[in-house]
Structures are given as structure tokens and as C-alpha cells.
């Protein structure tokens, strides 16, 4: 039987290891190392809960620190988040939304996921990070857009879905003048080229493509920034089955 002391050690050990990767990584990005403390709490909770539910394919503190937290944090030097409202679509384990909130407390954050258990985890993750004003919502993006159309300055997505699908789910939620931030592989140029029609139909325009290194790795990832120039026509987003079967 595990003693109380051992239980504490078990919970503290991944936090310490997470911090050991997070601090130099945040420093390399020019961001405050103090953010490693709430991030390590989030990461330890993620690794613990992932043993009983599917939150992430990454299972070590090093992978979690670098490829979830530092990958998310790398957006801060690239985009202005201060005072903005952001919806993180398909947030899952809370990425990139919750690390962005930790680094920019003025961010008005909504974490959106369709699965109840994931939303319960997101609420707990906000708690261990000390985020008291984050909103965690269980809903599909296409349903949530009906009541919150063009209600956010920014929308983020880190999902594996193709860009035309993500754009139809995210752009209707972004106000005119706001941005949709899609986190992608650096090998996504063909996907980006194929999304031009979808972006045009949805009121968006490609604003920037940022290829950035993930601190502590040889990996480079891509942030695609889409500016919302016009209101999205009311027929979008369609039902998810149709979006997936017939992408724009």
C-alpha cells in the first residue's frame, strides 16, 4: 500500500521534472520562468489523469513540457494576446489556451471541448493553475457558434483536422478584425494552399505564416494566422458531418 508520504512524492516528482524543462524553455522564449510553476501543476495533473482517460499521446514529463507547454508558449512572441478574448476550440488537455492564459493573465479565455470528461479536467486544470476566470464549455464548435457568433477576438485550434475544416469551425466565432490561429506542421503548405477557397467563403484572409522552433528540441512548428475581414455567411458552420464529408 502506498503511504501518504509516497503519494506526495509521486505527485511532486513529475512537477519537479516538468519545471526542469519548462524554466529554460520559457527563458529561451523571453518569457517569465515563474510561469513554470502553474504549468508544472497543470502538467502533473495531465499526466496523472491521462492514466485513466485519453487526454494526450505524450506520456513523459519531457515530452509534455516541450511539446505541449513550450509549443503553446511559443505563440506569445508572435501574436498580441493582451486584453483579448480567446476561444480555444477542441481544447482537449488545455492547449494552447491555458498556457497562454498563464503567460498573459489579461486574456479572457474560453476552453471549448465536446467531451464532458475533458471539460471536467479543464476545470480542474484551471484550478491548479490559479485561473479563476477561465470559462470551460462542453459543446461542439458548430453548435456553440449559433449563440456566440463572432464573439471573440481570437480563436485557436491545435487539432489534426485539415485547415478548411478547422476554418469553418473557428472563423464563425471570430469577430471582424480578429484572428484565427491554426497550429500546424511546417509541412502544411499544400494544406494551406488548398484552404484558399474556404478562407474566402468564410470571410478570412491569410495574414502571416510563422515557422518557429520548439525550445529544447530540433522540431519546428507552424502558426498560420488568418485575419477575419468580413462577416461569415450565416450558413456556416454547417453540421460537422457535412463539414467533414464535404470540406469547403
Amino acid at each position: 500500500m502506498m503511504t501518504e508520504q509516497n503519494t506526495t512524492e509521486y505527485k511532486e516528482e513529475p512537477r519537479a521534472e516538468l519545471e526542469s524543462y519548462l524554466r529554460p524553455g520559457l527563458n529561451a522564449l523571453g518569457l517569465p520562468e515563474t510561469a513554470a510553476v502553474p504549468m508544472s501543476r497543470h502538467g502533473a495533473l495531465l499526466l496523472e489523469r491521462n492514466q485513466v482517460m485519453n487526454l494526450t499521446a505524450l506520456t513523459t514529463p519531457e515530452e509534455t513540457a516541450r511539446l505541449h507547454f513550450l509549443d503553446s508558449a511559443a505563440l506569445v512572441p508572435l501574436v498580441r494576446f493582451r486584453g483579448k478574448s480567446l476561444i480555444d476550440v477542441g481544447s482537449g488537455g488545455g492547449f494552447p489556451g491555458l498556457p497562454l492564459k498563464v503567460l498573459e493573465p489579461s486574456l479572457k479565455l474560453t476552453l471549448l471541448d465536446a467531451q464532458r470528461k475533458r471539460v471536467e479536467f479543464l476545470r480542474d486544470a484551471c484550478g491548479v493553475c490559479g485561473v479563476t476566470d477561465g470559462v470551460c464549455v462542453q459543446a461542439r464548435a458548430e453548435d456553440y457558434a449559433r449563440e456566440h457568433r463572432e464573439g471573440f477576438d481570437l480563436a485557436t485550434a491545435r487539432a489534426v483536422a485539415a485547415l478548411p475544416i478547422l476554418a469553418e469551425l473557428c472563423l464563425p466565432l471570430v469577430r471582424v478584425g480578429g484572428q484565427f490561429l491554426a497550429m500546424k506542421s511546417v509541412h502544411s503548405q499544400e494544406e494551406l494552399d488548398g484552404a484558399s477557397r474556404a478562407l474566402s467563403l468564410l470571410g478570412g484572409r491569410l495574414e502571416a505564416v510563422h515557422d518557429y522552433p520548439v525550445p529544447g528540441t530540433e522540431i519546428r512548428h507552424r502558426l498560420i494566422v488568418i485575419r477575419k475581414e468580413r462577416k461569415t455567411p450565416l450558413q456556416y458552420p454547417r453540421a460537422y458531418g457535412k463539414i467533414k464529408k464535404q470540406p469547403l
Side-chain angles (χ1 to χ4, degrees):
M1 179 180 293
M2 184 177 290
T3 65
E4 183 177 349
Q5 181 179 3
N6 287 338
T7 301
T8 302
E9 290 172 355
Y10 172 76
K11 290 181 179 179
E12 290 296 328
E13 184 179 349
R15 279 186 56 189
E17 190 173 352
L18 284 157
E19 272 199 58
S20 73
Y21 297 115
L22 288 168
R23 286 186 178 276
L26 290 166
N27 184 60
L29 292 167
L31 300 171
E33 291 184 31
T34 52
V37 175
M39 287 183 182
S40 68
R41 293 185 187 128
H42 177 184
L45 182 67
L46 179 76
L47 291 170
E48 179 186 332
R49 295 282 180 86
N50 199 53
Q51 297 179 54
V52 294
M53 61 184 293
N54 182 25
L55 286 166
T56 174
L58 306 180
T59 58
T60 70
E62 180 176 6
E63 291 175 322
T64 301
R66 299 196 194 285
L67 299 178
H68 280 324
F69 289 93
L70 295 177
D71 186 38
S72 300
L75 273 58
V76 174
L78 304 176
V79 177
R80 180 178 174 81
F81 292 100
R82 181 171 296 178
K84 299 289 184 69
S85 58
L86 181 149
I87 183 165
D88 188 17
V89 176
S91 190
F95 308 104
L98 196 44
L100 294 175
K101 171 68 172 176
V102 167
L103 288 161
E104 182 46 73
S106 71
L107 189 67
K108 301 176 183 70
L109 177 66
T110 298
L111 301 171
L112 181 70
D113 200 277
Q115 295 188 24
R116 178 181 58 81
K117 288 186 177 181
R118 287 185 177 179
V119 174
E120 290 172 354
F121 167 79
L122 291 171
R123 292 192 180 108
D124 290 342
C126 285
V128 299
C129 287
V131 172
T132 59
D133 59 346
V135 178
C136 302
V137 179
Q138 181 193 353
R140 300 189 67 92
E142 64 273 24
D143 296 330
Y144 195 68
R146 294 192 188 105
E147 300 296 326
H148 300 84
R149 192 173 194 86
E150 296 176 339
F152 298 89
D153 299 313
L154 302 166
T156 51
R158 199 169 172 248
V160 295
L163 189 57
I165 293 175
L166 291 178
E168 186 168 354
L169 294 172
C170 293
L171 274 172
L173 290 160
V174 178
R175 66 170 180 81
V176 174
Q179 295 166 310
F180 163 42
L181 311 175
M183 300 177 72
K184 286 288 180 180
S185 159
V186 291
H187 305 296
S188 58
Q189 189 58 47
E190 184 176 349
E191 182 181 336
L192 178 57
D193 293 342
S196 57
R197 178 175 180 271
L199 297 181
S200 178
L201 286 172
L202 296 164
R205 171 185 60 83
L206 177 64
E207 182 173 85
V209 176
H210 301 287
D211 291 346
Y212 60 90
V214 179
T217 77
E218 296 181 356
I219 297 171
R220 294 182 69 84
H221 283 166
R222 172 171 290 177
L223 177 67
I224 298 172
V225 182
I226 309 297
R227 175 71 66 177
K228 179 79 168 280
E229 293 192 314
R230 305 179 312 279
K231 287 190 173 184
T232 301
L234 291 177
Q235 65 262 39
Y236 305 113
R238 298 166 293 167
Y240 185 70
K242 194 163 188 179
I243 294 173
K244 190 173 181 181
K245 187 176 181 180
Q246 298 177 329
L248 296 175

